[in-house]
Amino acid sequence: MLSHRDSDDDFEDVWKQQMKKRAARKQPRTIPVAKRPRKGSRKDCDGLRNQKPSAGDLLEAVKTAKSAMQVVVDDWLEGYKHNQDAGFLELINFFIGACGCKGVVTHKMFKTLQNSEIIQHLTEKFDEDSVKYPLAASGPAWRKFRSSFCEFVAALVCQCQYSFLYDDFLMDTLISLLTGLSDSQIRAFRHTSTLAAMKLMTGLVRVAIRLNLQKDNNLRQYEAERSKGVGHRSPERLEILLEKQKELQEHQEEIEGMMNAIFRGVFVHRYRDVLPEIRAICIEEIGSWMQTYSTSFLTDSYLKYIGWTLHDKQREVRLKCLKALQGLYSNRDFISCLELFTSRFKDRMVSMVMDREYDVAVESIKLLTLILKNMEGVLTDADCESIYPVVYASNRALASAAGEFLYWKLFFPECEVGVASGREQHPGARRNFFYLLLAFSMESELHDHAAYLVDSLWDCAGPQLKDWESLTGLLLEKDQSLGDVQENTLIEILVSSARQATEGYPPVGRVTGRKGFTAKERKIQADDKLKLTEHLIPLLPQLLAKFSADAEKVSPLLQLLNFFDLNIYCTGRLQKHLELLLQQLQEVVVKHTEPVVLEAGARALYLLCDPEFTFFGLVDFARSQLVDLLTDRFQQELEELLQGSFLDEDEVYNMAATLKRLSAFHNAHDLTRWELYEPCCRLLKKAVDTGDIPRQIILPALTLIYFSILWTLAHVSGSNSSQEQVLGLRGKLVTFCDLCQICLSDVDSEIQEQAFVLLSDLLLIFSPQMILGGQDHLKPLIFLPEATLQSELASFLMDHVFIQPGEPGSDAEEEQAQIEQLHQRRRLLAGFCKLLLYGVLEMEAASDIFKHYSKFYNDYGDIIKEMLTRSRQINRKQCSQTLLLSLKQLYTELLQEHGPQGLDSLPAFMEMRDLARRFALSFGPQQLQNRDLIVMLHKDGIKFSLAELPPAGSSNQPPNLAFLELLEEFSPRLFHQDKQLLLSYLQKYLHQVPQPSSHSWSPVISYCRSLSSQENGAETSPQGNPQPKRRRMEATSKQGQEHFCPSQEQSLLLSSVPQTPAFTSTTVKGNYSLCRQKDEEEDSASEFTQSQPSFGSQKPKHSYPEDFHRTVHSHYGPGLGNKLTRLSLMEEEEDDEIVIQESSEEETGEWEDTDKYPSSQSSFKHARDLFDSAEVDGDDF
């Protein structure tokens, strides 16, 4: 078991095991302590005591990177040789400047102060107004600076490895300073110094490797010299080699001490830093040390740091861990050193396959693939089975990585071929791949997703998947033992591989992120398309003939023509195979009635019917033969149907099958010359008149007429069309729309839905938009629905879309069937919304949709919200009026159902309030832009609420008065001036109300309170600048807000007072605690003052204009006025316990106000960015 307790001694233990005991030249090196002033100096620097060395030249040289870093270091070394102290000060100030600090270390500071005191002085000079520093800055210039900075540190170690690296001053003092800076609470110091220390360590590792090589060479030379005879041996050379060996040993000890100091002083503390960038730097560098200096660092004592950090919360840190481990597991020489680590952290690596970050999951699968390749038997079957389903993931990079793992686990051991030796693989061995692929697909029970499986395996098993000879051989083999599902899967694999090879695009739902293909990739696709076409042209008729009776197999086989290079039929003189294909295609169309097969057949024939092909005449003749056959059947069956009074099941089936085939072909081919419109209209008219025609016949007949009208429109859209043709099409359109309108009232729901869909499409196509683009001659074709048709469309929507499961009209079927029904209802709703947005229907009809926004939010919330947004973009005023109309309609329906008594206590009324709140939130934060709309909405609402007055002398309140409670939800959107105007507007209407009894009208009181400026937490002005106000948030108010606000909108309700973040700097903590204590004292004092009675001068909290009180007293009598005052006082007492949250826009305004005007919170925010915790708690991992 790895332990963190012995981390400080790990490095020393490793080196002690490798080194022989010898007398130490000096004391063992430990972590550099704070530097004290030295007694003497190598050079006379008295003239530099008060001078401030500038590192601007060095920093600018690294930032611009105009010269190579080796040249920059050499120039600095020349100055360092000339004046050691001045040169070192320049280097120190370079690192300080790289932190973004304006402070400078002077010669006097360097001589008299300790490192901790210098760092404290620099901290005080640091610019606290900015949280940006070079390593955290964005832009290409600063990214270039980071790379140059790292290169400079590496060059510094490299250029000093034969000279100043062992002078007991440069590296010791530099490491000591970087260690102190890395422990600072200033993020810039900690980040920059950690990066410098880690790069310095990497450079020292490279020096240590060179020293080991030199020691080995020196030892071999010494052994070779000593093995010589006595007469040939040179004592002087042996002595030189021994001295060299001693010198190298001393240098190695010094390098070990430096590395030990950096590791224990910087890495051990910073690998768990609070800043993820710092943690990522540490993990990246220790990974490189393990790869380059494996003899010392590739031990469990160091691997545990990577293992622990695999649990890091930040994506970039986990990525660095996985990248580092990939470099280790890819080298077979390191495998023996990774056994204990693998057994300890394997479960974590396997679980990272399901990481929430896709790139982390991808790298984890790549790591497990390396473990699978290089460590046999480590991954169990359970581990592998947790990776297999990922091949069906929607993210292509993740699925491709899982596909590679699957290939190396299941396919490669069985299908390894001698491709490298040039030997041809046996056909039986090539088929093994597809047998294994079939077995995996069947065991995963996801055989309907073969396209995703092929896409996942394409990058690693592309050549095997493009082995179309083996695929077709398996399908055409006579004595095969494949089942029905296996054949379906093989055909889907064939089609998917053909699509992937010729088009290169992933299946639906997967995105590659690539914008296009390179010229090389397009060339490969063209070659694959040619090979596929040449191979399948002779075999496709055979495949169709063998599987012609199975609709599931025929449909994908017909799709193969989409990936053919059809010119091969001409250039290759393969018309014989084309004739066979046309023959099989005709048999398939005549044999099947499934829409999928018929659409695939019509599409295949459409691809072949290109006039540019030389074989167009042959294909067109075959098409004409097929349509003639179907048309003759239809005419014969139609006459029998029109003349007869009863149809048996066979006649109904034959007629429906013929109409389905004609409808499918009319979708892709122009069948206008066969004149199918008139007979279909006769059929529908009989169906409408008698009701004897079954649904199976009416549905394809409707579709056939629809396609006929569209093809006729395509003909008359040309500029050479005559007016007679346009008017003829107009007559057909009107006739068909009348038939569809009648079908909307049919008893069969499928006929109703089909009629609604076709009507929606035709009304959209023949809307006023059709004459745009110079098509003025089509103006007679513009068709606008009459009021009756609009009403029937809206009624259909209410009856078929806005229905709850279990209610009459809905089917209680299986979950999958319910999902399909929901998708169908969403399509119907989307079609109706298009008619509204394009002006085909009146915008007032949208009220039927908006009033269901809250009730059906889970099913249609996204569609209705988009409809609301688009309609507001078209006409803001009309959209607002429609929203109010929706509330009026709901209120009227509720009033008619329950009556005016106790209306506001019904659950349905609570739902209406929730809907009104959603409507209010939909206006967004643009308060000034929507000012006139909100005022207009309130005025119209007041008119509606007081429109129907009770008789004179009656004690009843107006029936619509409770509607004022719905208007309250829009009151927070009003400006203060507008609230006063609306109060006056309400008074004018109240003058017309007869004098009631002592009963109070609570909706009026509640609405007036919502218009009171003191009710809202922040007064607003037309400029939209809310005044901040101190408020207390109680738990009861939060619960009440959550009760009335739906979960979907809670994110819009912000807390009015931003929480001050916690700090870790002791200085800031002290200031903050004092400020906080002062604020709390002020709060308590103000609350105490407010709680004291103000005798003779206390005013109600909810104040109203004096004239309004007089109006209330005069019109409602003393009873209502007393109740109003009494209610205000009661609300004042309740507000001592409950403070209601304000609307999200006012709270947003408070945030903006806080940001706009500097305050102590803003300084605390900057302090939070500068002073943060230096280490992450252990629980974070």
Side-chain angles (χ1 to χ4, degrees):
M1 179 67 67
L2 297 178
S3 174
H4 189 275
R5 179 180 56 192
D6 58 348
S7 60
D8 294 339
D9 300 329
D10 294 336
F11 195 91
E12 292 179 343
D13 293 343
V14 173
W15 286 105
K16 287 178 181 179
Q17 293 174 5
Q18 296 178 354
M19 295 166 48
K20 296 180 179 180
K21 294 184 179 180
R22 55 182 302 277
R25 185 176 59 88
K26 55 184 178 180
Q27 294 295 329
R29 190 183 301 271
T30 59
I31 300 177
V33 296
K35 176 182 65 58
R36 298 187 179 276
R38 293 181 290 116
K39 294 182 179 180
S41 176
R42 297 186 182 183
K43 296 185 180 292
D44 186 10
C45 300
D46 293 338
L48 299 174
R49 290 185 184 276
N50 298 322
Q51 182 181 355
K52 294 183 178 180
S54 174
D57 296 339
L58 190 58
L59 184 62
E60 186 67 21
V62 174
K63 180 179 178 181
T64 57
K66 294 181 178 179
S67 302
M69 289 301 105
Q70 184 176 351
V71 177
V72 175
V73 171
D74 290 340
D75 293 342
W76 175 82
L77 285 175
E78 290 297 327
Y80 181 78
K81 293 176 184 178
H82 180 71
N83 191 330
Q84 187 185 62
D85 288 346
F88 188 73
L89 283 178
E90 182 182 6
L91 183 63
I92 290 177
N93 287 314
F94 161 73
F95 286 109
I96 300 300
C99 299
C101 180
K102 302 296 179 61
V104 177
V105 180
T106 63
H107 184 272
K108 182 179 179 180
M109 293 168 55
F110 180 68
K111 288 294 185 180
T112 60
L113 300 179
Q114 296 183 357
N115 280 344
S116 59
E117 297 172 336
I118 293 176
I119 295 173
Q120 179 64 29
H121 175 77
L122 295 174
T123 302
E124 296 172 356
K125 295 293 184 180
F126 202 88
D127 183 13
E128 297 184 6
D129 295 333
S130 175
V131 297
K132 293 295 183 181
Y133 52 96
L135 291 184
S138 58
W142 294 113
R143 287 194 294 269
K144 184 178 180 181
F145 170 78
R146 177 190 174 93
S147 61
S148 301
F149 179 81
C150 299
E151 187 179 351
F152 173 83
V153 177
L156 177 65
V157 178
C158 182
Q159 296 302 102
C160 295
Q161 63 177 324
Y162 301 113
S163 55
F164 301 107
L165 195 63
Y166 312 103
D167 65 352
D168 296 334
F169 171 73
L170 176 62
M171 286 298 161
D172 292 355
T173 314
L174 181 59
I175 292 173
S176 176
L177 177 66
L178 293 178
T179 302
L181 286 174
S182 68
D183 199 34
S184 172
Q185 288 190 340
I186 299 293
R187 182 178 301 183
F189 285 159
R190 207 168 64 252
H191 189 183
T192 308
S193 60
T194 301
L195 177 63
M198 294 297 99
K199 293 299 180 181
L200 193 68
M201 178 78 163
T202 302
L204 292 175
V205 167
R206 295 193 183 102
V207 173
I209 293 174
R210 296 191 189 100
L211 285 176
N212 276 340
L213 293 177
Q214 293 176 8
K215 284 180 60 179
D216 293 341
N217 293 334
N218 185 82
L219 183 61
R220 284 195 299 270
Q221 293 175 3
Y222 178 81
E223 293 296 337
E225 187 67 26
R226 195 177 63 174
S227 62
K228 294 181 181 179
V230 179
H232 298 84
R233 184 186 305 168
S234 173
E236 295 81 4
R237 180 169 174 76
L238 288 175
E239 184 177 355
I240 293 174
L241 291 175
L242 284 175
E243 289 295 330
K244 182 67 173 177
Q245 185 74 9
K246 182 179 179 182
E247 179 184 359
L248 292 175
Q249 183 66 29
E250 292 176 354
H251 287 175
Q252 188 178 31
E253 291 177 0
E254 292 191 30
I255 295 297
E256 292 168 3
M258 296 176 192
M259 291 191 296
N260 191 28
I262 295 175
F263 187 85
R264 296 174 58 189
V266 179
F267 179 89
V268 170
H269 302 287
R270 297 280 69 81
Y271 89 96
R272 55 194 297 265
D273 193 277
V274 68
L275 194 65
E277 290 85 351
I278 296 179
R279 303 199 298 271
I281 290 171
C282 294
I283 296 303
E284 182 180 13
E285 294 305 316
I286 195 175
S288 67
W289 306 338
M290 291 177 180
Q291 293 183 48
T292 56
Y293 203 10
S294 59
T295 55
S296 298
F297 286 96
L298 191 57
T299 62
D300 297 326
S301 300
Y302 297 101
L303 284 168
K304 64 184 179 183
Y305 294 108
I306 298 181
W308 290 338
T309 318
L310 284 172
H311 298 270
D312 197 279
K313 294 181 179 180
Q314 295 297 323
R315 158 190 163 275
E316 56 183 314
V317 183
R318 299 197 301 274
L319 270 179
K320 294 297 183 182
C321 293
L322 294 173
K323 291 283 189 181
L325 292 176
Q326 287 176 15
L328 298 177
Y329 280 99
S330 61
N331 193 334
R332 289 183 175 271
D333 297 335
F334 298 161
I335 297 302
S336 59
C337 302
L338 295 169
E339 292 179 355
L340 180 59
F341 173 84
T342 305
S343 62
R344 171 65 177 81
F345 294 101
K346 184 194 68 173
D347 293 340
R348 173 56 184 164
M349 290 185 285
V350 173
S351 67
M352 292 179 76
V353 172
M354 298 302 172
D355 196 279
R356 62 183 179 182
E357 302 291 344
Y358 282 132
D359 48 358
V360 176
V362 169
E363 298 302 327
S364 66
I365 294 179
K366 291 181 179 179
L367 174 61
L368 294 174
T369 305
L370 292 173
I371 295 177
L372 177 68
K373 291 180 182 179
N374 298 327
M375 300 183 73
E376 297 182 1
V378 172
L379 295 178
T380 63
D381 293 339
D383 297 333
C384 297
E385 289 173 0
S386 65
I387 305 174
Y388 293 158
V390 185
V391 296
Y392 300 105
S394 59
N395 184 274
R396 191 183 190 279
L398 182 60
S400 181
E404 184 178 1
F405 180 89
L406 176 67
Y407 175 77
W408 286 99
K409 175 63 179 178
L410 297 181
F411 302 129
F412 183 79
E414 301 293 336
C415 304
E416 185 176 5
V417 297
V419 178
S421 60
R423 291 184 289 107
E424 185 69 22
Q425 188 181 12
H426 190 270
R430 289 185 303 186
R431 293 184 179 183
N432 285 339
F433 174 82
F434 293 105
Y435 283 124
L436 293 172
L437 191 60
L438 276 177
F440 173 78
S441 180
M442 299 297 296
E443 290 177 2
S444 63
E445 297 182 356
L446 292 170
H447 52 271
D448 293 336
H449 298 75
Y452 296 89
L453 179 59
V454 169
D455 182 62
S456 302
L457 292 169
W458 191 258
D459 293 338
C460 56
Q464 290 90 333
L465 290 170
K466 288 190 289 187
D467 186 9
W468 297 302
E469 295 182 4
S470 300
L471 261 175
T472 53
L474 284 173
L475 290 171
L476 293 174
E477 191 175 18
K478 294 182 179 180
D479 300 330
Q480 62 178 353
S481 59
L482 297 177
D484 184 65
V485 177
Q486 292 175 322
E487 290 178 344
N488 290 336
T489 304
L490 273 182
I491 292 176
E492 191 173 355
I493 291 173
L494 172 62
V495 176
S496 301
S497 64
R499 180 188 297 110
Q500 195 76 25
T502 56
E503 295 181 354
Y505 296 107
V508 178
R510 280 189 183 171
V511 181
T512 60
R514 300 181 55 184
K515 295 182 179 179
F517 300 99
T518 63
K520 181 179 179 180
E521 290 173 338
R522 288 195 296 268
K523 178 66 168 56
I524 294 175
Q525 291 175 5
D527 294 341
D528 290 339
K529 190 172 188 177
L530 181 62
K531 295 177 182 177
L532 175 71
T533 306
E534 292 177 345
H535 175 70
L536 285 182
I537 279 181
L539 300 180
L540 183 57
Q542 302 178 31
L543 291 170
L544 291 175
K546 181 175 181 179
F547 302 107
S548 61
D550 195 331
E552 293 185 9
K553 299 181 179 64
V554 169
S555 178
L557 287 175
L558 289 174
Q559 296 178 14
L560 288 172
L561 280 175
N562 295 309
F563 318 118
F564 280 13
D565 184 1
L566 298 177
N567 289 308
I568 302 297
Y569 279 111
C570 307
T571 59
R573 298 180 180 180
L574 301 173
Q575 291 190 2
K576 176 183 177 181
H577 298 290
L578 179 60
E579 293 175 358
L580 293 175
L581 176 62
L582 293 174
Q583 181 182 353
Q584 292 298 327
L585 182 59
Q586 182 175 354
E587 292 182 5
V588 168
V589 172
V590 173
K591 188 178 295 185
H592 292 277
T593 60
E594 292 82 359
V596 177
V597 179
L598 296 178
E599 290 175 6
R603 173 66 179 173
L605 195 58
Y606 173 78
L607 294 173
L608 296 172
C609 289
D610 190 342
E612 296 182 358
F613 293 145
T614 57
F615 54 81
F616 170 72
L618 176 63
V619 179
D620 184 54
F621 178 74
R623 178 179 60 180
S624 301
Q625 279 186 326
L626 179 59
V627 177
D628 287 338
L629 175 64
L630 297 176
T631 305
D632 292 341
R633 285 186 183 181
F634 171 63
Q635 293 290 352
Q636 181 180 358
E637 293 166 352
L638 178 62
E639 293 300 330
E640 295 177 359
L641 185 145
L642 294 177
Q643 294 175 3
S645 59
F646 176 77
L647 293 176
D648 57 15
E649 294 183 0
D650 293 338
E651 292 176 344
V652 171
Y653 175 81
N654 293 333
M655 171 67 80
T658 304
L659 286 174
K660 287 180 181 178
R661 297 180 182 114
L662 287 173
S663 177
F665 270 80
H666 210 349
N667 185 14
H669 303 270
D670 183 9
L671 307 183
T672 307
R673 59 192 174 116
W674 279 272
E675 299 180 354
L676 297 173
Y677 176 84
E678 291 298 335
C680 288
C681 275
R682 292 167 55 197
L683 178 62
L684 289 180
K685 287 179 181 179
K686 179 177 176 60
V688 169
D689 295 338
T690 63
D692 296 334
I693 307 300
R695 168 179 54 86
Q696 296 89 337
I697 296 177
I698 296 177
L699 292 176
L702 286 171
T703 309
L704 192 57
I705 297 179
Y706 169 75
F707 289 133
S708 177
I709 292 176
L710 293 186
W711 278 109
T712 307
L713 176 62
H715 287 297
V716 302
S717 297
S719 57
N720 56 353
S721 60
S722 63
Q723 190 71 12
E724 182 180 357
Q725 292 176 327
V726 174
L727 295 178
L729 177 58
R730 169 77 181 188
K732 293 180 179 180
L733 175 65
V734 173
T735 302
F736 181 64
C737 288
D738 292 340
L739 291 172
C740 288
Q741 184 175 354
I742 297 174
C743 290
L744 286 176
S745 304
D746 196 276
V747 294
D748 191 282
S749 60
E750 291 189 24
I751 296 178
Q752 291 178 335
E753 292 181 2
Q754 182 75 352
F756 180 85
V757 171
L758 298 180
L759 264 178
S760 301
D761 291 345
L762 287 177
L763 290 175
L764 193 62
I765 294 171
F766 290 92
S767 65
Q769 309 284 338
M770 71 181 305
I771 63 174
L772 299 178
Q775 298 288 332
D776 295 336
H777 65 286
L778 299 179
K779 192 172 183 179
L781 293 177
I782 295 177
F783 183 78
L784 295 177
E786 299 179 354
T788 55
L789 179 57
Q790 295 190 35
S791 176
E792 290 191 25
L793 290 173
S795 300
F796 171 85
L797 204 68
M798 298 303 104
D799 297 337
H800 292 79
V801 175
F802 296 108
I803 54 176
Q804 292 285 4
E807 293 183 357
S810 63
D811 299 327
E813 299 180 1
E814 297 295 333
E815 182 179 359
Q816 184 64 29
Q818 293 179 356
I819 294 176
E820 293 178 358
Q821 291 176 4
L822 176 60
H823 286 314
Q824 175 65 13
R825 293 196 295 268
R826 286 173 59 86
R827 285 192 289 267
L828 296 176
L829 177 60
F832 189 81
C833 291
K834 290 179 184 178
L835 297 178
L836 292 169
L837 294 176
Y838 281 92
V840 179
L841 302 179
E842 298 294 337
M843 185 55 69
E844 286 76 9
S847 61
D848 293 328
I849 297 176
F850 292 155
K851 66 184 182 183
H852 295 94
Y853 182 36
S854 180
K855 188 175 182 180
F856 291 89
Y857 186 84
N858 293 332
D859 294 339
Y860 317 119
D862 54 339
I863 299 177
I864 300 177
K865 185 176 182 180
E866 184 68 17
M867 171 67 190
L868 181 58
T869 304
R870 297 291 183 90
S871 60
R872 180 172 285 119
Q873 293 174 356
I874 295 173
N875 192 321
R876 295 169 54 245
K877 181 178 179 181
Q878 193 175 21
C879 178
S880 301
Q881 293 174 345
T882 307
L883 293 179
L884 183 62
L885 178 60
S886 303
L887 295 175
K888 290 180 181 178
Q889 291 176 352
L890 284 175
Y891 183 86
T892 304
E893 294 172 2
L894 189 64
L895 185 65
Q896 293 175 354
E897 184 177 354
H898 297 279
Q901 300 299 328
L903 201 64
D904 54 355
S905 61
L906 296 175
F909 191 82
M910 294 296 102
E911 294 179 1
M912 291 172 57
R913 293 202 64 160
D914 178 64
L915 178 63
R917 184 177 296 110
R918 287 179 183 270
F919 286 166
L921 290 173
S922 68
F923 283 93
Q926 296 82 13
Q927 192 172 4
L928 186 60
Q929 181 182 0
N930 298 318
R931 181 182 184 184
D932 56 338
L933 302 178
I934 300 296
V935 173
M936 178 196 67
L937 189 145
H938 275 271
K939 287 183 176 181
D940 292 343
I942 292 173
K943 290 179 183 179
F944 175 75
S945 61
L946 299 174
E948 300 181 12
L949 300 178
S954 174
S955 61
N956 295 329
Q957 66 182 20
N960 298 339
L961 194 63
F963 191 79
L964 291 175
E965 297 187 22
L966 302 181
L967 292 182
E968 293 179 26
E969 303 298 336
F970 299 90
S971 297
R973 306 283 168 174
L974 292 168
F975 289 111
H976 173 66
Q977 296 88 334
D978 298 333
K979 293 178 181 178
Q980 300 299 322
L981 293 175
L982 286 173
L983 280 173
S984 302
Y985 187 78
L986 180 61
Q987 291 177 30
K988 183 181 69 172
Y989 271 88
L990 291 175
H991 279 292
Q992 306 172 8
V993 180
Q995 200 172 36
S997 64
S998 60
H999 281 296
S1000 64
W1001 287 355
S1002 59
V1004 176
I1005 299 174
S1006 177
Y1007 179 64
C1008 292
R1009 190 184 305 116
S1010 71
L1011 296 180
S1012 174
S1013 60
Q1014 294 183 3
E1015 175 70 13
N1016 300 296
E1019 293 186 13
T1020 56
S1021 61
Q1023 286 75 22
N1025 295 327
Q1027 301 297 327
K1029 177 180 178 182
R1030 187 187 307 276
R1031 295 176 298 164
R1032 295 179 291 111
M1033 307 304 300
E1034 299 292 336
T1036 55
S1037 66
K1038 181 180 292 186
Q1039 294 172 0
Q1041 189 74 9
E1042 291 176 352
H1043 174 72
F1044 285 104
C1045 295
S1047 60
Q1048 292 85 351
E1049 308 294 342
Q1050 285 182 5
S1051 60
L1052 299 177
L1053 300 176
L1054 306 176
S1055 176
S1056 60
V1057 181
Q1059 296 181 357
T1060 307
F1063 306 107
T1064 57
S1065 175
T1066 54
T1067 305
V1068 180
K1069 276 184 177 179
N1071 295 337
Y1072 171 65
S1073 60
L1074 292 176
C1075 295
R1076 182 173 181 180
Q1077 181 179 0
K1078 184 178 180 181
D1079 290 342
E1080 292 176 352
E1081 291 176 356
E1082 292 177 357
D1083 285 349
S1084 60
S1086 62
E1087 292 173 5
F1088 175 78
T1089 304
Q1090 292 176 1
S1091 64
Q1092 300 300 318
S1094 178
F1095 299 105
S1097 61
Q1098 186 173 5
K1099 296 182 179 180
K1101 186 172 183 179
H1102 304 291
S1103 61
Y1104 299 90
E1106 295 181 1
D1107 55 349
F1108 177 70
H1109 281 286
R1110 289 196 296 269
T1111 303
V1112 171
H1113 187 274
S1114 61
H1115 285 275
Y1116 302 105
L1120 182 59
N1122 292 337
K1123 287 185 178 291
L1124 176 62
T1125 306
R1126 187 160 60 249
L1127 182 59
S1128 299
L1129 294 176
M1130 291 170 60
E1131 287 295 325
E1132 180 183 4
E1133 294 175 358
E1134 291 174 0
D1135 286 343
D1136 291 338
E1137 299 178 358
I1138 301 176
V1139 181
I1140 301 177
Q1141 278 189 333
E1142 297 178 7
S1143 66
S1144 60
E1145 282 67 28
E1146 292 174 346
E1147 294 167 353
T1148 305
E1150 290 185 4
W1151 281 93
E1152 294 173 354
D1153 186 72
T1154 303
D1155 295 337
K1156 189 178 298 183
Y1157 301 103
S1159 63
S1160 60
Q1161 292 180 1
S1162 62
S1163 62
F1164 286 160
K1165 181 179 179 182
H1166 291 301
R1168 170 61 178 163
D1169 291 328
L1170 290 171
F1171 299 92
D1172 50 10
S1173 177
E1175 295 182 1
V1176 178
D1177 193 9
D1179 296 338
D1180 291 341
F1181 295 98

